[in-house]
Amino acid sequence: MNRDASLARSAIPSVSRVLEFPAVQQLMDVYGRNLVKQAVRSAQAELREVMKGDAQAAAAALREEAVIERVEQTLKRMNQPSMQRVFNLTGTILHTNLGRACLPQSAVSAMAAASGSCNVEYDLAAGQRGDRDAHLESWLTSLTGAEAATVVNNNAAAVMLVLNTLALGRQVPVSRGELVEIGGSFRMPDIITRAGCHMVEVGTTNRTHASDYEHAIGPQTALLLKVHRSNFEMEGFVSSVPESELAGLARNHDLPLAVDLGSGTLVDLERYGLPHEPTPGEIIAKGADLVTFSGDKLLGGPQAGIIVGRKALIEQLKLNPMKRALRLDKTTIAGLEAVLRLYADPDRLPEHLPTLKFLIRKEGDIRDLAERVKPALEAVLEASASVDVVPCRSQVGSGSFPTQTLPSTALAIRPHPGESGTDKALQRIALALRRLPLPVIGRIRDGVLYLDLRCLEDEAAFQDQLHELEIPGGGPP
Ligand SMILES: *Cc1c(COP(=O)(O)O)cnc(C)c1O
């Protein structure tokens, strides 16, 4: 067998021969020489595998057209962008793995406009070097009532910068009830330590009193830190020190109070019928000296960490060399500016800001949408699963309203009972949906795949691609 196999292998055309095929020459015009060469090498490796199999298949695979087809498929695969638009039908509006906030159109246009040369750090009136923060600072101060503002890459960076600037080598008292883990790798104790500060835990898990901070404050104390319990709530025998009281305490000791708010929206969400979520403006009004929050959580903008507060402190932050390492990209600044501009007109905010639009989308509208798209999905899944319109609950995600959910509607996909096991069948359907040109991501629970339609905007694009659905493994008989 070995002699035959090596004979067969020698029948595989060499790279230089394949590159001379006229069809491959044409591929070079499209993809470039390097990529085509890589694809030919990878096709050869595949052919060597095929040669190990039966002779007939090997002979077919060696035909010129078959080799060209193989090279072209490889090139298509290689050229597929890694970052792709997807349909987030998970039921989590701000899904960190799916890019959190969906940007408004005005932000996308502003980002495109800033993608070439732009005045990111250039004062057009004076014709000289300007300040990167200038594009955002006046919006942020007018929307929060703070004296000054600066912006970095994300809220984790904002917290790092505050601690490293104001408390390097010194003590930071923080309540044991606020030593949170946000997910990913943001754990408050680690951030405090890595920022070069000494954490001093005060109070207990469930109760922390002003006197606990009072006892902890000493000559080495740099600032007081309060952290919003973004992703959990405590009930029962609990107490914590409100911002206003903590601010008074900090003032008495001549210390700044920094509050890490996490999700920071710039309007009172109650005006849209949603539960109250503290705003940076409220926390500033209660006496905090610095407030940090994210750009891509409830705010609905691009990934950024925003710091607002007292001018003298913000100036210190800007002088920290770390600020340079954490600075925002020009397109992010442009996108964030466009989002902040929308907040100037809260009446029309829901029309323009997708995050808010999704949050307040009416249950009835989502149900109507589900009824409209159901037949198309049902038609392509007919052989493998049933599709039903069912009520469900969406969550906000990314540490906002952790215990509250919103009534919504989902398409529930249940595989027909089959010999291969319904769990495997369900996984195959979920995979097929993820393999669509615009991947569809749902949520599996208790043997059912739910597509929560709260965040589905482009109904036509969703439906138009469904005919391409191919269930791997042929689906149940
Ligand atoms: C989300 C959150 C962070 C981290 O913010 P990123 O923008 O994800 O870096 C920090 N602190 C709190 C309280 C949060 O909720």
Side-chain angles (χ1 to χ4, degrees), residues 100 154-156 182 186 227-228 230 260-263 294 296-297:
R100 289 194 183 160
N154 53 27
N155 189 37
I182 299 299
F186 186 94
V227 185
H228 188 243
S230 293
D260 178 23
L261 193 56
S263 199
S294 295
D296 56 353
K297 293 186 179 173

Side-chain angles (χ1 to χ4, degrees), residues 216-461:
I217 294 172
Q220 277 307 304
T221 308
L223 55 77
L224 298 186
L225 177 65
K226 186 165 177 67
V227 185
H228 188 243
R229 284 189 202 121
S230 293
N231 50 10
F232 70 106
E233 273 170 18
M234 288 207 288
E235 274 179 33
F237 190 54
V238 296
S239 85
S240 59
V241 185
E243 285 87 357
S244 47
E245 192 178 349
L246 210 51
L249 189 69
R251 241 187 336 270
N252 289 344
H253 291 273
D254 227 1
L255 297 170
L257 168 64
V259 177
D260 178 23
L261 193 56
S263 199
T265 174
L266 298 168
V267 284
D268 183 357
L269 290 177
E270 278 178 89
R271 68 182 288 158
Y272 310 108
L274 292 165
H276 185 75
E277 176 78 15
T279 64
E282 275 169 44
I283 309 293
I284 290 288
K286 285 179 179 167
D289 299 290
L290 288 175
V291 181
T292 53
F293 54 102
S294 295
D296 56 353
K297 293 186 179 173
L298 278 179
L299 184 67
Q303 181 188 301
I306 302 169
I307 311 167
V308 299
R310 287 223 324 262
K311 194 171 174 58
L313 298 175
I314 296 284
E315 263 159 21
Q316 282 188 58
L317 301 182
K318 289 187 175 200
L319 290 174
N320 186 334
M322 240 182 155
K323 169 71 165 58
R324 171 66 168 75
L326 305 174
R327 79 178 182 192
L328 277 189
D329 168 66
K330 60 184 177 180
T331 55
T332 309
I333 295 175
L336 188 54
E337 185 196 355
V339 171
L340 295 177
R341 196 177 292 277
L342 295 177
Y343 277 89
D345 184 7
D347 291 336
R348 276 185 290 183
L349 196 57
E351 284 168 51
H352 299 297
L353 193 70
T355 300
L356 187 55
K357 192 190 292 179
F358 296 151
L359 274 169
I360 64 174
R361 200 166 188 184
K362 291 200 181 64
E363 200 186 343
D365 293 345
I366 307 173
R367 197 168 45 239
D368 292 347
L369 170 64
E371 295 290 358
R372 282 200 303 278
V373 301
K374 179 190 164 197
L377 190 64
E378 210 167 26
V380 294
L381 286 176
E382 206 173 20
S384 15
S386 65
V387 180
D388 298 291
V389 172
V390 300
C392 70
R393 313 280 308 181
S394 319
Q395 56 186 32
V396 182
S398 289
S400 316
F401 309 121
T403 58
Q404 275 141 333
T405 53
L406 305 162
S408 185
T409 302
L411 294 171
I413 302 171
R414 291 184 182 84
H416 300 317
E419 55 188 52
S420 59
T422 48
D423 188 50
K424 278 210 185 100
L426 192 68
Q427 295 295 345
R428 279 203 301 269
I429 295 167
L431 176 63
L433 286 164
R434 294 200 305 273
R435 279 185 178 165
L436 283 168
L438 297 173
V440 172
I441 323 275
R443 178 185 53 194
I444 290 179
R445 215 187 51 227
D446 301 332
V448 183
L449 172 59
Y450 293 96
L451 305 181
D452 181 336
L453 298 186
R454 173 175 294 276
C455 298
L456 177 62
E457 278 203 290
D458 196 345
E459 187 179 335

